[in-house]
Amino acid sequence: MLSTMQDAPLSIAQLLRHGASVHGASEVVTWTESGPRRVSYADVGKRCAQLAHALRGLGVEGDERVATFMWNNSEHLEAYLAIPSMGAVLHTLNIRLFPEQLIHVANHAEDRVIIVDPSLIPLLSPQLPSLTTVKHIIVTGSSTAGLEAPEGVQVHTYEGLIADQPTEFDWPEVDELSAAAMCYTSGTTGDPKGVVYSHRSIYLHSMQVCMSDGPNLAQGDRALAVVPQFHAMSWGLPYAAFMIGASLIMPDRFLQPAPLAAIIASEKPTFAAAVPTIWQGLHLYLEQNPQDISSMREVLIGGSAVPPALMHAFEADHNVSVLHAWGMTETSPLGSVARPPAGVTGDAMWKYRYSQGRFPASVQARLIDDDGKVVAHDGVSVGELEVRGPWITGSYYGVDAEDKFNDGWLKTGDVGSITADGFLSLSDRSKDIIKSGGEWISSVDLENAVMGHPDVTEAAVIGVPDEKWDERPLVAVVLRAGSETTMSELQQYLSDKVAKWQLPENWAVVQEVPKTSVGKFDKKRLRADYHEGGLEVTRL
Ligand code: AMP
């Protein structure tokens, strides 16, 4: 028997209509060199209509991809809302990708238009001649200075393009399963892979962001979205904020501790989200420059494990509660959130809060051991985490990646245990990607680059703890007998092969890279050697 319920599709247009009308007085604040710039949600709604008309005018039809190469700001929010609402697909380009990867993902997604912030023109410009499908570049603001378009590509200013457009748009009704937005994730080996979110997945995920046992974003909140809109959809905050009427505070390019402290002082956020390194930096800064930041009732931290000391420091020094969460680009990204069970206090409460958290009803989780068997959720047994649910990806865009799925479950590559009451604790990652300041560095790419040097016979890269960036790469190299190549020469050798921020500063010469039984580099052993002081590390 079928239900009698209406088949009303869940859509981004519905979020847009609702936020711009019911929550029209809420605002998005963008930080600039001269302080805050404010736009009400009612005006965001009008500007979204204008943007959609402008994009149609440029020929954007159907599910064509419109990419963004932007910081967190109000124009990026407009792109988030307008592009999917008109039926097109938003593609958030990661501004920190190495040029070849940027070219790969833009061509692979077949981006037709790119919206770029003026401050990012120098990063995008050199790549433009290699982007084979791009026909239009839109520069936010009112000037295209510094942008030289290759032949066949037209350049526009955002404000010029939308200025005379109507402030209403007849948003089409879209199939809720159709693509709304896409974001490429890292591959430990090979090219980044595309995750495509649907209208339905984003809508349901937004509801989760507002659930009281989830991040609990609420009407009346002022959410400081430090987590980039170009990485894992800013953890869903832009859509959830429009759904619930929370105001958004966008730091644009001002992500260093001093401007963040100024933003907090000026805008009094009640909620904020960022990776641990941002909060570590802010905490250190506030030690030297005391300031009341207790307007923030809670800060959501994820992307890599939150050190317990950081949680305690925020609570003790600033009366700000830290909420730990786990997720991936593939999971929209909200997976688990560490809200302890009601009534639990003291050490037991902290243990729950240190964990990666509990999965909501919509996300099923299981652990699989080396033999492929499901292990018990007893808080002790360990396995690789696999997840399933309406906002978990079931494939990657345009590539065959069957090895990433197991009977319909996403293999996360993360290893840990789950308690009987559903709390996940990650003990390791099966992948060896290095998380540096919330961004990833592929150890395999670095290894391949180092091993390109004629004097290097073997090179293995592991992530080692770093106070500022959480993790940085350490390269263990085996040099050809008799070679006098120094570590600085090797670092110099890499300088035109990897992005500057990925350049390793930790180096160790070893006799041999330890190997597993099947002859692969044994990075577990290498890590143990490092932690036991068995590696002589040169820090450059
Ligand atoms: P990304 O898709 O770039 O967001 O990276 C997702 C990966 O980040 C996960 O598979 C984990 O390895 C890691 N990660 C995310 N959140 C946490 C967390 N709370 N603790 C430990 N690792 C995390």
Side-chain angles (χ1 to χ4, degrees):
M1 184 167 76
L2 279 180
S3 79
T4 62
M5 292 299 109
Q6 296 180 8
D7 184 16
L10 307 176
S11 71
I12 307 298
Q14 184 50 21
L15 294 182
L16 170 53
R17 270 191 296 262
H18 179 76
S21 54
V22 173
H23 302 299
S26 297
E27 62 175 1
V28 52
V29 181
T30 304
W31 201 250
T32 72
E33 246 151 16
S34 47
R37 175 164 66 84
R38 301 172 194 283
V39 188
S40 71
Y41 280 8
D43 285 341
V44 168
K46 290 180 190 154
R47 288 170 57 86
C48 283
Q50 292 179 304
L51 176 60
H53 282 293
L55 290 171
R56 277 277 187 272
L58 298 184
V60 174
E61 293 293 342
D63 62 359
E64 282 182 328
R65 267 68 73 200
V66 178
T68 53
F69 197 77
M70 301 169 79
W71 300 107
N72 288 15
N73 51 42
S74 62
E75 289 80 3
H76 209 167
L77 176 67
E78 288 158 14
Y80 259 53
L81 292 162
I83 294 164
S85 293
M86 66 186 283
V89 180
L90 164 76
H91 175 198
T92 55
L93 287 164
N94 185 338
I95 63 165
R96 302 210 172 108
L97 284 184
F98 194 56
E100 274 113 61
Q101 292 174 322
L102 178 67
I103 293 165
H104 168 75
V105 301
N107 288 342
H108 188 256
E110 298 175 275
D111 294 336
R112 187 177 166 87
V113 179
I114 301 181
I115 309 177
V116 59
D117 282 332
S119 59
L120 294 171
I121 288 175
L123 269 182
L124 183 65
S125 265
Q127 278 39 272
L128 286 179
S130 310
L131 305 187
T132 52
T133 58
V134 173
K135 297 279 175 266
H136 299 275
I137 305 286
I138 304 173
V139 184
T140 56
S142 305
S143 158
T144 64
L147 189 77
E148 270 176 46
E151 226 180 283
V153 175
Q154 290 178 34
V155 177
H156 319 264
T157 69
Y158 190 95
E159 294 306 321
L161 207 57
I162 71 169
D164 298 324
Q165 303 291 349
T167 54
E168 283 186 11
F169 192 94
D170 189 13
W171 303 112
E173 187 155 295
V174 294
D175 179 342
E176 65 174 17
L177 293 177
S178 60
M182 64 195 302
C183 180
Y184 279 73
T185 182
S186 60
T188 33
T189 53
D191 291 322
K193 288 192 280 301
V195 173
V196 185
Y197 310 104
S198 67
H199 286 261
R200 173 186 162 84
S201 72
I202 291 176
Y203 196 102
L204 294 172
H205 182 268
S206 303
M207 293 176 77
Q208 187 63 41
V209 174
C210 301
M211 291 262 281
S212 53
D213 257 9
N216 193 18
L217 190 70
Q219 181 242 118
D221 265 328
R222 294 175 61 75
L224 173 60
V226 185
V227 53
Q229 287 182 264
F230 58 74
H231 190 184
M233 306 304 285
S234 196
W235 297 354
L237 287 178
Y239 293 120
F242 235 73
M243 170 179 266
I244 209 69
S247 286
L248 279 168
I249 301 160
M250 301 300 212
D252 201 82
R253 62 183 194 278
F254 304 97
L255 299 169
Q256 304 72 27
L260 280 181
I263 294 170
I264 294 168
S266 161
E267 297 307 315
K268 304 264 181 295
T270 57
F271 179 90
V275 293
T277 42
I278 295 278
W279 300 114
Q280 255 152 352
L282 183 67
H283 189 260
L284 279 176
Y285 175 84
L286 293 174
E287 276 177 3
Q288 305 301 320
N289 307 273
Q291 175 185 321
D292 181 10
I293 59 162
S294 64
S295 64
M296 295 191 288
R297 65 173 162 77
E298 202 154 49
V299 294
L300 181 65
I301 313 190
S304 48
V306 180
L310 187 67
M311 285 191 178
H312 288 288
F314 265 83
E315 198 124 329
D317 302 345
H318 300 292
N319 198 22
V320 171
S321 178
V322 169
L323 181 62
H324 189 192
W326 170 90
M328 308 169 72
T329 305
E330 289 91 329
T331 66
S332 288
L334 207 57
S336 54
V337 176
R339 283 206 191 280
V344 179
T345 56
D347 287 351
M349 181 268 292
W350 279 109
K351 220 174 141 210
Y352 278 115
R353 290 187 54 191
Y354 297 156
S355 81
Q356 270 72 18
R358 183 142 65 172
F359 291 94
S362 303
V363 181
Q364 299 168 54
R366 66 180 188 186
L367 300 170
I368 303 290
D369 69 11
D370 288 345
D371 302 325
K373 293 207 184 69
V374 176
V375 308
H377 291 186
D378 55 11
V380 184
S381 309
V382 168
E384 182 185 350
L385 175 68
E386 295 189 351
V387 288
R388 224 180 140 232
W391 59 78
I392 312 295
T393 202
S395 62
Y396 291 94
Y397 178 66
V399 291
D400 189 6
E402 269 170 40
D403 57 322
K404 302 289 178 198
F405 299 91
N406 180 10
D407 200 19
W409 294 69
L410 171 74
K411 292 157 83 169
T412 66
D414 290 327
V415 174
S417 62
I418 298 179
T419 59
D421 54 355
F423 281 80
L424 167 75
S425 286
L426 291 184
S427 46
D428 202 356
R429 302 171 214 166
S430 58
K431 49 191 176 192
D432 293 306
I433 202 117
I434 298 153
K435 297 283 273 192
S436 174
E439 295 297 325
W440 55 269
I441 299 177
S442 163
S443 57
V444 176
D445 285 356
L446 281 181
E447 284 162 12
N448 288 344
V450 181
M451 285 192 284
H453 189 282
D455 277 358
V456 173
T457 57
E458 278 181 359
V461 176
I462 54 168
V464 297
D466 184 272
E467 244 176 46
K468 184 161 179 214
W469 302 107
D470 271 355
E471 270 194 340
R472 290 293 300 158
L474 178 148
V475 191
V477 280
V478 181
L479 290 176
R480 209 170 286 285
S483 161
E484 288 184 1
T485 302
T486 65
M487 297 302 101
S488 338
E489 284 166 352
L490 286 182
Q491 193 194 46
Q492 180 60 31
Y493 168 77
L494 286 188
S495 60
D496 61 347
K497 294 174 184 61
V498 303
K500 198 167 164 228
W501 61 274
Q502 298 193 347
L503 269 185
E505 58 273 82
N506 305 296
W507 296 77
V509 177
V510 292
Q511 289 304 310
E512 191 198 345
V513 173
K515 311 279 188 329
T516 66
S517 58
V518 289
K520 293 189 186 178
F521 289 168
D522 188 348
K523 295 196 187 173
K524 215 168 152 194
R525 178 72 244 149
L526 202 57
R527 272 188 213 108
D529 288 349
Y530 171 82
H531 287 292
E532 288 157 12
L535 295 181
E536 226 177 85
V537 179
T538 307
R539 203 175 151 84
L540 301 175

